Amino acid sequence: MNRRAFLVSAAAGAVGVRRSLAAVAAAPVVLVTADTEAHVAVVNAATGRIMQRLGTADGPRSIEVVAGAAVVAHTELGRITLIDAQTLERRRVQSRFDEPRYTAAHPDGRHAFVSDSGLGEIVVLDVPRGRVVARVSVGGKTRHLTVDPTGSRLWTALGTKAERIAIVNVTDPTEPHLIRTITAPFLAHDVVFAPSGDRVWVTSGDRGA
């Protein structure tokens, strides 16, 4: 799964990203991190044309839409930036991060989980408020993560070629707690819940499986 881009559609249930100029108003767009060029590109989803470039701090590595905002992780700087999906206004989340990597949204439409591989923690953001509200140690260099459709369980691979996967209870996203870690059948890389929630897909970090 490409975590460096997200689609913002005008369809029901999604949020239309608009510039103040009318040119962008009706177009579904994709926001893409240009991690070596310190900006987020606003791309017309139909034509592929870059409509705008939003300057950011260095190294915007990953991007995910949560609660009407794009959560952008700057791994090398230890920083999180939020981009408002309506106004494209940027604001920095003021908190302590070491190596924020990836983001997953809780189904409550308010909270986001950020993997901080440097601290070995899952960090919980209240996105509308732009505040960190909780943290939980998962005992390893957490990277890719996924939340089940009911919002009760979070899985995260503890590395890019991880021997272990951590399972966290996030029923109350403001009070997450580690349930246990499991050993993957191979060195794991990415994890994602199926839409039904009854299984988790795990990609290998060392083989095509």
Side-chain angles (χ1 to χ4, degrees), residues 171-195:
T171 303
D172 180 348
T174 65
E175 295 185 359
H177 61 269
L178 180 67
I179 299 172
R180 64 180 182 276
T181 60
I182 60 174
T183 301
F186 43 54
L187 297 182
H189 180 73
D190 202 353
V191 291
V192 62
F193 270 97

CSV table of all heavy atoms in Angstrom, one decimal, residues 171-195:
chain,number,residue,atom,x,y,z
A,171,THR,N,-9.8,0.4,21.7
A,171,THR,CA,-11.3,0.6,21.9
A,171,THR,C,-11.6,2.0,22.3
A,171,THR,O,-12.5,2.7,21.8
A,171,THR,CB,-11.9,-0.5,22.8
A,171,THR,OG1,-11.6,-1.8,22.4
A,171,THR,CG2,-13.4,-0.3,22.9
A,172,ASP,N,-10.9,2.4,23.4
A,172,ASP,CA,-10.8,3.8,23.7
A,172,ASP,C,-9.5,4.4,23.2
A,172,ASP,O,-8.5,4.1,23.8
A,172,ASP,CB,-10.9,4.0,25.2
A,172,ASP,CG,-10.9,5.5,25.7
A,172,ASP,OD1,-10.6,6.3,24.8
A,172,ASP,OD2,-11.2,5.7,26.9
A,173,PRO,N,-9.5,5.2,22.1
A,173,PRO,CA,-8.3,5.6,21.5
A,173,PRO,C,-7.4,6.5,22.4
A,173,PRO,O,-6.2,6.6,22.2
A,173,PRO,CB,-8.7,6.3,20.3
A,173,PRO,CG,-10.1,6.7,20.5
A,173,PRO,CD,-10.7,5.6,21.4
A,174,THR,N,-8.0,7.0,23.5
A,174,THR,CA,-7.2,7.9,24.4
A,174,THR,C,-6.6,7.1,25.5
A,174,THR,O,-5.8,7.6,26.3
A,174,THR,CB,-8.1,9.0,25.0
A,174,THR,OG1,-9.1,8.3,25.9
A,174,THR,CG2,-8.8,9.8,24.0
A,175,GLU,N,-6.9,5.8,25.6
A,175,GLU,CA,-6.3,4.9,26.6
A,175,GLU,C,-5.8,3.6,25.9
A,175,GLU,O,-6.3,2.5,26.3
A,175,GLU,CB,-7.2,4.6,27.7
A,175,GLU,CG,-7.6,5.9,28.5
A,175,GLU,CD,-8.5,5.5,29.7
A,175,GLU,OE1,-8.8,4.3,29.9
A,175,GLU,OE2,-8.8,6.5,30.5
A,176,PRO,N,-4.9,3.6,25.0
A,176,PRO,CA,-4.5,2.4,24.3
A,176,PRO,C,-3.6,1.6,25.2
A,176,PRO,O,-2.9,2.1,26.1
A,176,PRO,CB,-3.6,2.9,23.1
A,176,PRO,CG,-3.1,4.2,23.6
A,176,PRO,CD,-4.2,4.8,24.5
A,177,HIS,N,-3.7,0.2,25.1
A,177,HIS,CA,-2.7,-0.6,25.8
A,177,HIS,C,-2.4,-1.8,25.0
A,177,HIS,O,-3.2,-2.4,24.3
A,177,HIS,CB,-3.3,-1.0,27.2
A,177,HIS,CG,-4.6,-1.8,27.1
A,177,HIS,ND1,-5.9,-1.2,27.1
A,177,HIS,CD2,-4.8,-3.1,27.0
A,177,HIS,CE1,-6.8,-2.2,27.0
A,177,HIS,NE2,-6.2,-3.3,27.0
A,178,LEU,N,-1.1,-2.2,25.2
A,178,LEU,CA,-0.6,-3.4,24.5
A,178,LEU,C,-1.2,-4.7,25.0
A,178,LEU,O,-1.2,-4.9,26.2
A,178,LEU,CB,0.9,-3.4,24.7
A,178,LEU,CG,1.7,-4.6,24.0
A,178,LEU,CD1,1.6,-4.4,22.5
A,178,LEU,CD2,3.2,-4.6,24.4
A,179,ILE,N,-1.7,-5.5,24.1
A,179,ILE,CA,-2.3,-6.8,24.4
A,179,ILE,C,-1.2,-7.8,24.4
A,179,ILE,O,-1.0,-8.5,25.4
A,179,ILE,CB,-3.4,-7.2,23.4
A,179,ILE,CG1,-4.6,-6.1,23.4
A,179,ILE,CG2,-3.9,-8.6,23.7
A,179,ILE,CD1,-5.6,-6.4,22.3
A,180,ARG,N,-0.5,-7.9,23.3
A,180,ARG,CA,0.6,-8.9,23.2
A,180,ARG,C,1.3,-8.6,21.9
A,180,ARG,O,0.9,-7.9,21.1
A,180,ARG,CB,0.1,-10.3,23.3
A,180,ARG,CG,-0.8,-10.7,22.1
A,180,ARG,CD,-1.3,-12.1,22.2
A,180,ARG,NE,-2.1,-12.6,21.1
A,180,ARG,CZ,-3.4,-12.4,21.0
A,180,ARG,NH1,-4.0,-11.7,21.9
A,180,ARG,NH2,-4.0,-12.8,19.9
A,181,THR,N,2.5,-9.3,21.8
A,181,THR,CA,3.1,-9.4,20.5
A,181,THR,C,3.1,-10.8,20.0
A,181,THR,O,3.1,-11.8,20.8
A,181,THR,CB,4.6,-8.9,20.5
A,181,THR,OG1,5.3,-9.8,21.5
A,181,THR,CG2,4.7,-7.5,21.0
A,182,ILE,N,3.1,-11.0,18.6
A,182,ILE,CA,3.1,-12.3,18.0
A,182,ILE,C,4.2,-12.4,17.1
A,182,ILE,O,4.8,-11.4,16.6
A,182,ILE,CB,1.7,-12.6,17.3
A,182,ILE,CG1,1.5,-11.6,16.2
A,182,ILE,CG2,0.6,-12.5,18.3
A,182,ILE,CD1,0.3,-11.9,15.3
A,183,THR,N,4.6,-13.7,16.8
A,183,THR,CA,5.7,-13.9,15.9
A,183,THR,C,5.1,-14.1,14.5
A,183,THR,O,4.3,-15.0,14.3
A,183,THR,CB,6.5,-15.1,16.3
A,183,THR,OG1,7.1,-14.9,17.6
A,183,THR,CG2,7.7,-15.4,15.4
A,184,ALA,N,5.6,-13.4,13.6
A,184,ALA,CA,5.1,-13.5,12.2
A,184,ALA,C,5.7,-14.8,11.6
A,184,ALA,O,6.8,-15.3,12.0
A,184,ALA,CB,5.6,-12.3,11.4
A,185,PRO,N,5.0,-15.4,10.5
A,185,PRO,CA,5.5,-16.6,9.9
A,185,PRO,C,6.7,-16.3,9.0
A,185,PRO,O,7.4,-17.2,8.5
A,185,PRO,CB,4.3,-17.0,9.1
A,185,PRO,CG,3.5,-15.8,8.8
A,185,PRO,CD,3.7,-15.0,10.1
A,186,PHE,N,7.0,-15.0,8.7
A,186,PHE,CA,8.2,-14.6,8.0
A,186,PHE,C,8.5,-13.2,8.5
A,186,PHE,O,7.8,-12.6,9.3
A,186,PHE,CB,7.9,-14.6,6.5
A,186,PHE,CG,6.6,-14.0,6.0
A,186,PHE,CD1,6.2,-12.8,6.4
A,186,PHE,CD2,5.8,-14.8,5.2
A,186,PHE,CE1,5.0,-12.2,6.0
A,186,PHE,CE2,4.6,-14.2,4.8
A,186,PHE,CZ,4.2,-13.0,5.1
A,187,LEU,N,9.6,-12.6,8.0
A,187,LEU,CA,9.9,-11.2,8.4
A,187,LEU,C,8.9,-10.3,7.8
A,187,LEU,O,8.7,-10.1,6.6
A,187,LEU,CB,11.3,-10.9,8.0
A,187,LEU,CG,12.4,-11.7,8.6
A,187,LEU,CD1,13.8,-11.2,8.1
A,187,LEU,CD2,12.3,-11.7,10.1
A,188,ALA,N,8.1,-9.6,8.7
A,188,ALA,CA,6.9,-8.8,8.2
A,188,ALA,C,7.3,-7.4,7.9
A,188,ALA,O,8.2,-6.8,8.4
A,188,ALA,CB,5.9,-8.8,9.3
A,189,HIS,N,6.6,-6.8,7.0
A,189,HIS,CA,6.8,-5.4,6.6
A,189,HIS,C,5.5,-4.6,6.8
A,189,HIS,O,5.5,-3.8,7.7
A,189,HIS,CB,7.2,-5.3,5.1
A,189,HIS,CG,7.5,-3.9,4.7
A,189,HIS,ND1,8.6,-3.2,5.1
A,189,HIS,CD2,6.8,-3.1,3.8
A,189,HIS,CE1,8.6,-2.0,4.5
A,189,HIS,NE2,7.5,-1.9,3.8
A,190,ASP,N,4.5,-4.8,6.0
A,190,ASP,CA,3.3,-4.0,6.1
A,190,ASP,C,2.2,-4.9,6.6
A,190,ASP,O,2.2,-6.1,6.5
A,190,ASP,CB,2.9,-3.4,4.8
A,190,ASP,CG,2.0,-2.2,4.9
A,190,ASP,OD1,1.6,-1.9,6.0
A,190,ASP,OD2,1.7,-1.6,3.8
A,191,VAL,N,1.2,-4.3,7.3
A,191,VAL,CA,0.0,-5.0,7.8
A,191,VAL,C,-1.2,-4.1,7.5
A,191,VAL,O,-1.2,-2.9,7.5
A,191,VAL,CB,0.1,-5.2,9.3
A,191,VAL,CG1,1.2,-6.2,9.7
A,191,VAL,CG2,0.3,-3.8,10.1
A,192,VAL,N,-2.3,-4.8,7.1
A,192,VAL,CA,-3.6,-4.1,6.9
A,192,VAL,C,-4.8,-5.0,7.1
A,192,VAL,O,-4.8,-6.2,6.7
A,192,VAL,CB,-3.6,-3.5,5.4
A,192,VAL,CG1,-3.5,-4.6,4.4
A,192,VAL,CG2,-4.8,-2.6,5.2
A,193,PHE,N,-5.8,-4.5,7.8
A,193,PHE,CA,-7.0,-5.3,8.0
A,193,PHE,C,-7.8,-5.3,6.7
A,193,PHE,O,-7.9,-4.4,6.0
A,193,PHE,CB,-7.9,-4.6,9.1
A,193,PHE,CG,-7.6,-5.1,10.5
A,193,PHE,CD1,-6.7,-4.4,11.3
A,193,PHE,CD2,-8.1,-6.3,11.0
A,193,PHE,CE1,-6.5,-4.8,12.6
A,193,PHE,CE2,-7.9,-6.7,12.3
A,193,PHE,CZ,-7.0,-6.0,13.1
A,194,ALA,N,-8.4,-6.5,6.5
A,194,ALA,CA,-9.4,-6.6,5.4
A,194,ALA,C,-10.6,-5.8,5.8
A,194,ALA,O,-10.9,-5.6,7.0
A,194,ALA,CB,-9.8,-8.1,5.2
A,195,PRO,N,-11.4,-5.3,4.8
A,195,PRO,CA,-12.6,-4.5,5.1
A,195,PRO,C,-13.5,-5.2,6.0
A,195,PRO,O,-14.2,-4.5,6.8
A,195,PRO,CB,-13.2,-4.2,3.7
A,195,PRO,CG,-12.0,-4.3,2.8
A,195,PRO,CD,-11.1,-5.4,3.3
